[in-house]
Amino acid sequence: MTEPEALLIIAASEVDSNLYYATRFLAPDPFVFLQVDGRKVLLMSDLEIDRARSEAKVDEVRSLSAYESKARQRWPNPHLTDTLWLLFDEEGVSAVTVPANFPLEYADRLREKGVRATAKPDPLFPERVVKSPEEIAAIEATQRHTEAALEAALNVLREGEIRGAHVYWRGEVLTAEALKKVINVSLMENDCIAQHTIVACGIQGVDPHNQGSGPIRANESIVFDIFPRSSRSRYFADMTRTVVKGRASDSLKRMYDAVLAAQLRGIGLIRHGASGPAIHAEVSRTMERLGFETGVADGRHQGFFHGTGHGVGLDIHEPPRISKANHTLRTGQVVTVEPGLYYLRWGAVRIEDLVVVGPSGCENLTRAPKFLEL
Amino acid sequence: MTEPEALLIIAASEVDSNLYYATRFLAPDPFVFLQVDGRKVLLMSDLEIDRARSEAKVDEVRSLSAYESKARQRWPNPHLTDTLWLLFDEEGVSAVTVPANFPLEYADRLREKGVRATAKPDPLFPERVVKSPEEIAAIEATQRHTEAALEAALNVLREGEIRGAHVYWRGEVLTAEALKKVINVSLMENDCIAQHTIVACGIQGVDPHNQGSGPIRANESIVFDIFPRSSRSRYFADMTRTVVKGRASDSLKRMYDAVLAAQLRGIGLIRHGASGPAIHAEVSRTMERLGFETGVADGRHQGFFHGTGHGVGLDIHEPPRISKANHTLRTGQVVTVEPGLYYLRWGAVRIEDLVVVGPSGCENLTRAPKFLEL
């Protein structure tokens, strides 16, 4: 008898997208997934077993508590890995492949029992990196809702009135918090959940992950970075736009034009077989050629100091990266293209679209227009 | 020279609450946390380093890219664990404690380099289980917003009009989806994010994790289970109420009374030193004595087949459990008390409050009233 090929995942599919991808079953607490020679088996608690039987795309759902009862006959206080070992014994499994992020404690306990556990470097499911037409449609649907949310926020800015350095809306100083609420509520209306939406004005935007707070200032850059997940499909979208309420300085306009030129250059290079590092280098060079340098100044990173893009799907950051990392693009991947420039003197500009890699180019899933002043 | 005591975490604090607890710094991508003899050091990417330096509650933030440059002088294509090894070498670290959920791939790579990596069983930070006054205040604030969201949904039910089996609201059949939107938008207005809010009517509620969908039916149980996280504090709250729009059957009323009696009995037993299994057994017995049996019938789990409660904090499910698991309550823990009854013939009832364990009793953080019909 040959040793069966076994893949083991123990995780909460709520946070582990590989497990959700493998089962299409969403649960908040960890559960056991074992694939033996292609057959998918779940061990579920009494609380989840009926729902798993009706929803999970697996071959078999077994009762965890039944295995636990058996385990208690052998061990006084069985650990989950003891219980699991009974399942392995039944299935003739003595070696398992596990995800790179498999919990060390479980792996060590299984190894103590003589099970060979081998971590597979990411991606666990290489096919997850290339999106099916259904997955692309799901991402695009989330993207439409993202655009509607941005539009709602831009309408607030349009309605707002500049008084001195600030913007007033409905009689109050308009804040980043108020704009985020408009965005997040719009998304929620469409069953999308946005966490860490960025509305960063002026110098705040110079830190690309500063979420922004306080009054929106007129005539300064405002970076909107919106990356919600659909509660229905579980797929993310991701988009960034930079605008100014009022008048942008000439320096800011030049920055905007440079970022847009770099983004369009990057989008133009995306196609099956293209090299992530080559695209990233060309995007960086485009901005350098237009006079925008990168480096540490005044103790802060300034210029362009993040990657050009990343894959988007069931996770907000997925392979492939378009960065210094050695990744090659393939047809069907969904990636962002999001160069930015960040200077303490002038503010921040980032422009981000979501595109599908094609055989000889790419399809842009993003419809939101690009403009600086409103 | 004695070997320093070192704790290593590599995770995204966005999903790993231990890392957020240790650093109070939120980042969407994995980063390195090393605590050597009590001194906390972060290795951060260029993208996050400035924000980490201003926000993270650690002793030192170092540049990951600087260590990567050094690593490239030694290895052609250094892995994160190679880079990390340079930091270990500087700090004289050859053995590390890591969390139980530490990624196996990283552990194995470190072990290949001669580093002893030992997984510490949960809880990684035992002090996280007991909440400080500030943490309790944060949980209670989220709880207030949870109650406001429930009240918004109940007001929709109050405004709704029964026509035949259904409830109409603003001219349309009222659905679970519409009620969830009211709840989630109310929470969003208060910077709370709710995922998987449950509004489960009639037979849907018999599966405790069915989120509910479709028309709300008059005269049937509706389970509202709301467990949002505050985007500001990161702390969760958790509450369940069961109501009927119209008239409840006598069986449903008896079920409701039994669940409420069991819940009050459970709450009455909570105090420092109380045993989780003892409370859970007494809660179960209270419902049994009132005639409500638990077991598999018609191929489904029916009766009371989940735990009585769980800790709540930076995660929605934390230790301690009030269940068959052998946990003992301690002053300052925040736990739910949420018995339920589930029968295919009658529907579902669950009632859940959030309480703080005290030296000789508990303080109930939940203010929402308990009633069945509206």
Side-chain angles (χ1 to χ4, degrees):
Chain A
M1 200 177 108
T2 59
E3 169 80 18
E5 274 194 37
L7 171 68
L8 171 70
I9 309 178
I10 306 175
S13 55
E14 173 79 39
V15 290
D16 191 290
S17 295
N18 281 327
L19 184 52
Y20 179 72
Y21 186 82
T23 62
R24 295 285 161 183
F25 181 70
L26 203 62
D29 291 312
F31 61 91
V32 171
F33 167 88
L34 182 69
Q35 183 171 318
V36 187
D37 286 336
R39 195 167 43 88
K40 296 177 174 183
V41 178
L42 298 185
L43 277 195
M44 299 304 298
S45 71
D46 291 351
L47 175 58
E48 297 285 24
I49 193 167
D50 292 330
R51 195 168 63 89
R53 285 191 168 133
S54 71
E55 293 177 16
K57 303 278 179 283
V58 299
D59 298 288
E60 209 184 329
V61 178
R62 299 192 195 171
S63 163
L64 174 65
S65 61
Y67 281 91
E68 282 174 340
S69 298
K70 281 187 229 166
R72 273 192 295 271
Q73 290 165 18
R74 282 182 76 143
W75 300 280
N77 230 329
H79 187 267
L80 175 61
T81 45
D82 297 321
T83 305
L84 196 52
W85 189 83
L86 296 177
L87 175 66
F88 283 13
D89 195 40
E90 278 179 15
E91 298 288 332
V93 168
S94 61
V96 287
T97 298
V98 299
N101 69 352
F102 189 81
L104 178 61
E105 185 194 10
Y106 291 165
D108 282 346
R109 284 175 178 270
L110 288 172
R111 286 170 175 174
E112 278 168 26
K113 292 180 151 339
V115 175
R116 271 174 294 128
T118 309
K120 180 179 175 186
D122 288 325
L124 182 65
F125 300 119
E127 61 274 26
R128 230 189 95 187
V129 181
V130 168
K131 271 61 181 178
S132 70
E134 293 72 26
E135 289 180 293
I136 292 170
I139 293 167
E140 193 168 8
T142 310
Q143 180 60 26
R144 287 294 88 74
H145 299 317
T146 307
E147 290 159 7
L150 173 70
E151 191 58 22
L154 294 183
N155 281 337
V156 167
L157 276 176
R158 288 184 184 107
E159 286 169 38
E161 195 190 323
I162 298 174
R163 292 190 219 158
H166 293 125
V167 179
Y168 282 73
W169 181 59
R170 297 188 177 168
E172 290 183 16
V173 172
L174 180 63
T175 60
E177 289 82 351
L179 286 171
K180 279 189 261 189
K181 208 161 279 182
V182 167
I183 291 166
N184 293 346
V185 168
S186 167
L187 288 166
M188 185 61 79
E189 296 274 359
N190 290 308
D191 284 324
C192 290
I193 291 176
Q195 301 205 49
H196 314 303
T197 296
I198 294 171
V199 179
C201 185
I203 200 172
Q204 290 178 353
V206 179
D207 173 349
H209 278 183
N210 185 324
Q211 292 173 37
S213 62
I216 295 296
R217 298 178 65 85
N219 312 316
E220 294 191 8
S221 59
I222 313 168
V223 177
F224 288 90
D225 192 347
I226 313 175
F227 41 102
R229 157 181 263 165
S230 164
S231 296
R232 268 174 282 178
S233 72
R234 304 287 294 165
Y235 284 85
F236 280 91
D238 198 352
M239 175 174 69
T240 305
R241 290 291 182 268
T242 303
V243 300
V244 168
K245 170 72 177 177
R247 289 284 166 204
S249 67
D250 285 344
S251 306
L252 198 54
K253 282 184 193 167
R254 276 195 298 272
M255 275 171 67
Y256 189 89
D257 291 344
V259 172
L260 185 55
Q263 199 217 19
L264 296 176
R265 180 80 182 121
I267 291 173
L269 293 172
I270 287 179
R271 57 191 296 165
H272 183 83
S275 138
I279 296 170
H280 180 62
E282 179 58 23
V283 164
S284 304
R285 268 196 305 269
T286 302
M287 294 188 284
E288 272 164 28
R289 277 194 296 256
L290 291 166
F292 294 97
E293 302 282 331
T294 294
V296 173
D298 301 322
R300 289 280 295 270
H301 286 83
Q302 300 195 47
F304 176 46
F305 48 89
H306 56 69
T308 289
H310 56 84
V312 170
L314 287 171
D315 287 318
I316 180 63
H317 290 161
E318 293 191 353
R321 303 271 167 172
I322 304 177
S323 69
K324 288 175 191 161
N326 195 19
H327 293 185
T328 301
L329 301 184
R330 289 169 57 198
T331 295
Q333 292 175 336
V334 175
V335 294
T336 68
V337 186
E338 49 175 314
L341 285 172
Y342 310 88
Y343 295 102
L344 289 171
R345 285 180 61 188
W346 302 314
V349 173
R350 184 165 64 256
I351 307 174
E352 174 182 32
D353 286 354
L354 197 56
V355 307
V356 186
V357 181
S360 61
C362 71
E363 184 195 344
N364 198 327
L365 298 179
T366 313
R367 295 189 189 162
K370 296 169 192 168
F371 54 84
L372 181 58
E373 293 179 346
L374 51 59
Chain B
M1 200 179 108
T2 59
E3 169 80 17
E5 274 195 38
L7 171 68
L8 171 69
I9 309 178
I10 306 175
S13 56
E14 172 77 41
V15 289
D16 191 291
S17 295
N18 282 327
L19 184 52
Y20 179 73
Y21 186 83
T23 62
R24 296 284 162 184
F25 180 69
L26 204 61
D29 291 312
F31 62 91
V32 171
F33 168 89
L34 182 69
Q35 183 170 319
V36 186
D37 286 337
R39 196 167 43 88
K40 296 177 175 183
V41 178
L42 299 186
L43 277 196
M44 300 304 298
S45 70
D46 290 351
L47 176 58
E48 298 284 24
I49 193 166
D50 292 329
R51 195 169 61 91
R53 284 191 169 133
S54 71
E55 294 178 16
K57 302 278 179 285
V58 298
D59 299 288
E60 208 183 330
V61 178
R62 299 192 195 171
S63 163
L64 174 65
S65 61
Y67 281 90
E68 282 173 340
S69 298
K70 281 187 228 166
R72 272 193 295 271
Q73 291 166 16
R74 281 183 77 143
W75 300 280
N77 228 328
H79 187 266
L80 175 60
T81 45
D82 296 321
T83 304
L84 196 53
W85 189 84
L86 295 177
L87 175 65
F88 283 14
D89 194 41
E90 277 180 15
E91 298 288 332
V93 168
S94 61
V96 287
T97 298
V98 299
N101 69 351
F102 189 82
L104 178 62
E105 186 194 9
Y106 292 165
D108 282 346
R109 284 176 177 270
L110 288 171
R111 286 170 175 174
E112 279 168 24
K113 292 181 153 333
V115 175
R116 270 173 295 129
T118 309
K120 179 177 174 188
D122 289 323
L124 181 65
F125 300 118
E127 61 274 26
R128 229 189 96 188
V129 182
V130 168
K131 270 64 184 177
S132 70
E134 293 72 25
E135 290 180 293
I136 292 170
I139 293 167
E140 193 168 9
T142 310
Q143 179 61 26
R144 286 294 87 75
H145 299 318
T146 308
E147 290 159 6
L150 173 70
E151 191 58 22
L154 294 183
N155 281 336
V156 167
L157 276 176
R158 288 184 185 108
E159 284 169 39
E161 196 190 321
I162 297 174
R163 291 190 219 158
H166 293 124
V167 179
Y168 281 73
W169 182 58
R170 297 187 176 168
E172 290 183 16
V173 173
L174 180 63
T175 61
E177 289 84 350
L179 285 171
K180 278 188 263 189
K181 209 161 277 182
V182 167
I183 291 166
N184 293 347
V185 168
S186 167
L187 288 165
M188 185 61 79
E189 296 273 359
N190 290 308
D191 284 324
C192 291
I193 290 176
Q195 302 207 46
H196 315 301
T197 296
I198 293 171
V199 179
C201 184
I203 201 172
Q204 290 178 353
V206 179
D207 173 349
H209 278 183
N210 184 323
Q211 292 173 38
S213 60
I216 295 297
R217 299 178 65 84
N219 312 315
E220 294 191 9
S221 60
I222 313 168
V223 177
F224 288 90
D225 192 346
I226 313 176
F227 41 103
R229 158 180 263 166
S230 164
S231 295
R232 267 174 283 178
S233 72
R234 303 287 295 166
Y235 283 85
F236 280 91
D238 198 352
M239 174 174 68
T240 306
R241 290 292 183 266
T242 303
V243 300
V244 168
K245 170 71 177 179
R247 289 284 167 203
S249 68
D250 285 345
S251 306
L252 198 54
K253 282 183 191 167
R254 278 196 298 271
M255 275 171 66
Y256 189 90
D257 291 344
V259 172
L260 185 54
Q263 199 217 18
L264 296 176
R265 180 78 182 123
I267 291 173
L269 293 171
I270 287 179
R271 57 190 295 164
H272 183 83
S275 138
I279 296 170
H280 180 62
E282 180 57 23
V283 164
S284 304
R285 269 196 304 269
T286 303
M287 294 188 283
E288 273 164 28
R289 278 194 296 256
L290 292 165
F292 294 97
E293 303 283 331
T294 295
V296 173
D298 301 322
R300 290 279 295 270
H301 286 84
Q302 299 195 47
F304 177 46
F305 48 89
H306 56 69
T308 289
H310 56 84
V312 170
L314 287 171
D315 287 317
I316 180 61
H317 290 161
E318 294 191 352
R321 303 270 168 172
I322 305 176
S323 69
K324 288 175 191 160
N326 194 20
H327 293 184
T328 301
L329 300 184
R330 289 169 57 197
T331 294
Q333 292 175 335
V334 174
V335 294
T336 68
V337 186
E338 51 176 313
L341 285 172
Y342 310 88
Y343 295 102
L344 289 171
R345 285 181 60 187
W346 302 313
V349 173
R350 183 165 65 255
I351 307 173
E352 175 182 31
D353 285 356
L354 197 56
V355 308
V356 186
V357 181
S360 61
C362 72
E363 184 196 342
N364 198 327
L365 298 178
T366 313
R367 294 188 190 163
K370 296 169 192 169
F371 54 84
L372 181 57
E373 293 178 346
L374 52 60

